[in-house]
Each structure stands twice: as C-alpha cells, then as structure tokens.
C-alpha cells in the first residue's frame, strides 16, 4: 500500500506544483485576468481538443476492446452523472449546479487514472486504460456541455441550443473527429504528429497555471461548503457505488482495479476550462479540482486496500 501511495503522490505532486506556479505568477503580477481568460480560451478551443484527438488515434483498440467492461464503464459514468445531478437539486444553489455536477462525476482519467493503471498493471493497464479514457472522454464532454448549458448563467436555453452546444463543443469535436482515424488506422505525417504533440503538451501546464491564478483565500472560503460536497461525491460516494456494482457484476483482478482507479480519479482540469468558457462559476470548479486532487492520495489507496482485503483484486 505504501508503494501505491508513493506512486499516487508522484503523479499528483506535479499538478500542485503547476497550481502553485499559477498562484505565484498572479501574485507577482506576471499574469493577470486578461491572460487567464485568453489562455483558458486557447486551451478549450485548441490545445485540449488536439490532446484528445492524439490520445484517441494512439489508443490500442485491438489490445483492450472488451465490450462488457467498456459498456459497464459508460453506463456507470452516466449513472454517476444523474446521481450527482439529483443530489445537487437538493444540496446546491441553482447557479452552481452545473459546476457542482461536473466536478462530482468528471475524472482526470487521462492523467491520473491512466498513469496509475499503467504503473500497477503495466502494458495491459496502458492499453485498457487508454481505450477507457478515449471512450469516456466523449461521454464526459457531452454530459458536461449538457449540464452547463442547462444551468447557463445567462438563463435557461432550449433543447436545440443545448444540442448545438454539445455538437459545437471543441472537446467533443476533437474526440469525434479522431474516431475514423483510430478505427481505420489512417496514418498522419510524422511532422504533423510531432507538431501536434508540441501543441498538445501545453494543455495541462497552461490549464493548471490558469487555475492557480484564479485561486485566492476568499475564493477558498466562499466555495468551501459546496466544493467539499462535490469533492466527497467524486472521491468517496460515487466511486464506492460504481466499484461495488462492478464487483457484483463479476469483474475481478486487473479489470476491477483499473475500473476503480478511473472511477476514483480526481476531478479533471478540463472542468475548469469548460466552466470558464460558458461563464459559469469557474472559481468553484478550481477549488473542486484542488480538493479532489488532495484527497486522491488517501482515497485511492484506501480503496485499493479494501478491494484487496475482500479478495476482489
């Protein structure tokens, strides 16, 4: 368990380093609100779609195509979304429900989940984790666009407008446009792939610096109650329910372990980018990311210990 804890800290620590760099740069006056707005737009509209596109076309579909497991993961993710939404209707102000729900169900699978799956289960973890991440990225972004559109701060929108917001979402476009390339294994020129990787590598550091630049003590105080509620949903209650369901469905060993790691990943930094793009409470989104990333070092290890204790791993 200690080795897993060290691995988890090794993966999450760089996230906090970039957050603190953002805090420091804002404090020094080297970045300002205009920079954060521009950089967040760049991430949302360009670098993150590129990153998602590359992750899909590089996934080894043949090595990890398991219909039963993939189907369960998608169903469980959709179920977690609706459970979080139902809870938010009771516990969260209407203005913050979109951000609350997104923070409660959307995991950082592409960074934390995939890294832990690869570390614990080697090539199998990399292949299965890559396919899982690719599939759920489309689900995450579609459901996030839906909930943020419903609770749009500018007022309610029609069903047609919600559908258009999903179809026009750059992250959704990045994923769907990659599917034909991955399925038919259409090669791209080496120079284009290399340039794409250079561009995509800006995504995580730039997004985290923007999140750090948004954080202040007053924001942490004002958002603490709602953010903690969403964080507990993301890191404790929903992963426990989804993993229990997977165990009862008969998943065991590496398959169950990878499912758990993906269910228990902290909230993705993309949730901040999308919240900011639609003028939602992006500060609340930033706090949820910080809290869930802090919690991951404990909750992931406790979950793995319990699964091993009951003999499911």
């Amino acid at each position: 368990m200690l080795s897993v804890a060290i691995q988890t800290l090794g993966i999450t620590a760089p996230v906090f380093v970039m957050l603190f760099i953002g805090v420091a740069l804002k404090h020094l006056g080297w970045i300002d609100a205009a920079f954060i707005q521009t950089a967040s737009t760049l991430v949302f509209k360009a670098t993150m779609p590129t990153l998602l596109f590359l992750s899909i076309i590089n996934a080894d579909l043949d090595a990890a195509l398991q219909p039963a497991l993939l189907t369960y993961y998608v169903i469980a993710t959709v179920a977690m979304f609706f459970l979080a939404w139902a809870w938010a209707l009771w516990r969260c102000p209407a203005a913050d429900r979109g951000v609350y729900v997104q923070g409660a169900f959307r995991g950082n699978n592409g960074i934390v989940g995939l890294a832990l799956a690869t570390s614990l289960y080697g090539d199998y973890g990399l292949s299965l984790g890559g396919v899982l991440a690719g599939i759920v990225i489309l689900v995450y972004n579609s459901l996030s666009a839906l909930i943020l559109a419903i609770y749009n701060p500018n007022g309610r929108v029609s069903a047609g407008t919600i559908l258009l917001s999903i179809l026009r979402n750059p992250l959704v476009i990045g994923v769907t446009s990659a599917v034909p390339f991955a399925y038919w294994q259409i090669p791209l020129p080496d120079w284009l792939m290399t340039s794409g990787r250079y561009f995509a590598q800006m995504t995580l550091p730039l997004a985290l610096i923007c999140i750090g630049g948004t954080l202040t003590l007053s924001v942490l105080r004002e958002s603490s109650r709602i953010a903690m509620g969403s964080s507990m949903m993301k890191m404790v209650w929903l992963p426990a329910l989804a993993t229990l369901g997977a165990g009862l469905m008969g998943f065991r060993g590496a398959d169950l372990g990878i499912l758990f790691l993906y269910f228990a990943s902290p909230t993705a930094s993309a949730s901040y980018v999308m919240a900011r793009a639609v003028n939602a409470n992006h500060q609340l989104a930033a706090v949820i990311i910080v809290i869930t990333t802090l919690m991951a070092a404990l909750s992931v290890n406790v979950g793995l210990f319990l699964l091993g204790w009951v003999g499911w791993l």
Side-chain angles (χ1 to χ4, degrees):
M1 183 172 175
L2 179 60
S3 62
V4 178
I6 293 173
Q7 290 170 6
T8 308
L9 288 172
I11 294 165
T12 57
V15 172
F16 284 107
V17 170
M18 297 309 299
L19 287 171
F20 291 139
I21 288 175
V23 173
L25 292 176
K26 181 68 180 298
H27 181 72
L28 292 170
W30 292 2
I31 64 175
D32 56 14
F35 171 86
I36 293 172
Q37 176 64 46
T38 301
S40 297
T41 301
L42 176 64
V43 169
F44 177 66
K45 293 185 176 181
T47 67
M48 188 166 286
T50 303
L51 178 65
L52 298 179
F53 179 90
L54 293 177
S55 69
I56 296 294
I57 66 174
N58 289 327
D60 188 356
L61 299 179
D62 294 331
L65 200 57
Q66 300 186 41
L69 187 147
L70 299 175
T71 300
Y72 176 80
Y73 187 72
V74 171
I75 292 173
T77 299
V78 174
M80 289 193 294
F81 168 80
F82 282 107
L83 283 173
W85 191 358
W87 187 259
L89 292 172
W90 180 43
R91 299 288 296 177
C92 183
D96 293 330
R97 283 176 191 161
V99 174
Y100 180 100
V101 173
Q102 186 184 210
F105 91 96
R106 184 175 191 164
N108 191 350
N109 297 337
I111 305 298
V112 178
L114 182 58
L116 286 174
T118 303
S119 178
L120 291 178
Y121 299 108
D123 290 338
Y124 181 71
L126 177 62
S127 296
L128 179 56
V131 173
L132 277 173
I135 289 175
V136 84
I137 280 169
L138 181 58
V139 179
Y140 276 164
N141 288 299
S142 298
L143 293 177
S144 294
L146 170 67
I147 198 69
L148 291 172
I150 289 174
Y151 294 104
N152 190 299
N154 298 321
R156 291 292 182 124
V157 293
S158 66
T161 302
I162 292 174
L163 179 60
L164 282 176
S165 72
I166 295 173
L167 296 177
R168 292 175 177 174
N169 186 291
L171 307 185
V172 174
I173 293 172
V175 173
T176 53
S177 62
V179 171
F181 290 89
Y183 184 78
W184 285 295
Q185 297 184 339
I186 301 172
L188 293 175
D190 289 341
W191 65 266
L192 184 59
M193 292 292 291
T194 301
S195 299
R197 282 192 292 268
Y198 288 160
F199 192 61
Q201 285 168 0
M202 294 192 294
T203 300
L204 188 62
L206 198 54
L208 292 174
I209 286 173
C210 291
I211 294 168
T214 301
L215 294 174
T216 63
L217 290 177
S218 62
V219 168
L220 292 172
R221 284 194 298 267
E222 293 169 5
S223 303
S224 58
R225 182 185 66 82
I226 298 175
M228 184 56 70
S230 180
S231 300
M232 289 297 291
M233 290 282 287
K234 180 68 193 75
M235 302 307 294
V236 180
W237 309 124
L238 294 181
L241 288 173
T243 306
L244 176 62
L248 295 176
M249 289 288 291
F251 294 106
R252 293 290 187 274
D255 289 347
L256 183 62
I258 293 169
L259 282 172
F260 166 72
L261 291 172
Y262 272 52
F263 289 135
S265 291
T267 302
S269 56
S271 63
Y272 167 86
V273 176
M274 282 192 66
R276 183 148 198 144
V278 299
N279 297 317
N281 189 347
H282 59 275
Q283 295 174 325
L284 172 61
V287 176
I288 293 171
I289 292 167
V290 172
I291 294 174
T292 55
T293 305
L294 276 172
M295 293 176 67
L298 176 62
S299 61
V300 169
N301 288 281
V302 170
L304 289 172
F305 172 78
L306 292 175
L307 290 173
W309 183 63
V310 299
W312 283 4
L313 289 184

